[in-house]
């Protein structure tokens, strides 16, 4: 609670995944991610935005969710970039389908341009699959 965004993000993860003796609690995870985001931690912003976009641990809020994942992506979060790639690829959460923008954000992940790496290997592999499909579609 002293303002350490990374520590708040970590505590959010502990609640999110039920680690270090804490029970899984979506509302507590979201609350800690929100505190982390308020401290401008890119990992916290990405997770808080994800919680908002998915309605996990509280009400869904696409506008505030997009704001958080966008800021996270601009601060170098691979997870933030992934969520932007996803929403542009699918045309969801109030954004139109935009293959070029989806490609832009997914390419940052795949080419290792994001300085804040906190995605799982499975997530990175999914980003690579999406990018490959987009590139094939854009070549046609």
């Amino acid at each position: 609670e002293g303002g350490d965004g990374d520590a708040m993000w970590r505590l959010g993860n502990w609640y999110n995944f039920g680690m270090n003796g804490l029970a899984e609690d979506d509302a507590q995870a979201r609350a800690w991610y929100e505190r982390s985001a308020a401290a401008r931690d890119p990992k916290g912003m990405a997770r808080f935005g994800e919680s908002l976009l998915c309605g996990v641990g509280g009400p869904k809020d696409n506008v505030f969710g997009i704001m958080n994942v966008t800021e996270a992506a601009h601060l170098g979060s691979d997870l933030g970039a992934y969520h932007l790639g996803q929403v542009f690829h699918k045309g969801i959460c109030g954004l139109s389908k935009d293959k070029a923008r989806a490609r832009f954000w997914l390419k940052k992940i795949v080419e290792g341009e994001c300085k804040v790496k906190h995605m799982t290997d499975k997530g990175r592999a999914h980003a690579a699959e999406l990018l490959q499909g987009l590139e094939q579609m854009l070549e046609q």
Side-chain angles (χ1 to χ4, degrees):
E1 293 189 24
D4 184 335
D6 184 67
M8 291 184 265
W9 165 77
R10 194 170 292 120
L11 191 52
N13 276 344
W14 293 352
Y15 276 110
N16 193 25
F17 301 107
M19 298 166 47
N20 294 319
L22 298 175
E24 282 186 34
D25 185 328
D26 291 338
Q28 280 293 322
R30 179 173 168 154
W32 283 106
Y33 291 146
E34 183 174 15
R35 289 179 183 113
S36 178
R40 300 204 34 82
D41 181 81
K43 295 180 289 187
M45 288 176 155
R47 282 291 191 181
F48 181 51
E50 177 182 65
S51 297
L52 291 162
L53 292 174
C54 298
V56 175
K60 190 172 184 174
D61 185 337
N62 285 337
V63 173
F64 198 32
I66 292 294
M67 286 174 55
N68 274 275
V69 297
T70 300
E71 186 67 16
H74 283 288
L75 290 173
S77 164
D78 60 357
L79 186 61
Y82 175 77
H83 287 305
L84 283 178
Q86 284 272 57
V87 297
F88 281 121
H89 177 69
K90 294 179 180 179
I92 57 174
C93 300
L95 296 178
S96 300
K97 271 189 180 183
D98 188 326
K99 292 179 183 7
R101 287 183 187 196
R103 182 180 177 270
F104 173 84
W105 289 109
L106 294 169
K107 191 173 181 183
K108 284 191 168 291
I109 300 162
V110 173
E111 294 186 355
E113 294 177 24
C114 297
K115 64 182 178 182
V116 182
K117 295 172 175 53
H118 57 120
M119 287 182 66
T120 63
D121 290 339
K122 184 178 176 180
R124 279 189 291 280
H126 188 245
E129 288 173 22
L130 288 174
L131 179 61
Q132 183 178 24
L134 284 169
E135 288 182 337
Q136 289 173 351
M137 290 168 60
L138 290 170
E139 288 174 3
Q140 296 176 356

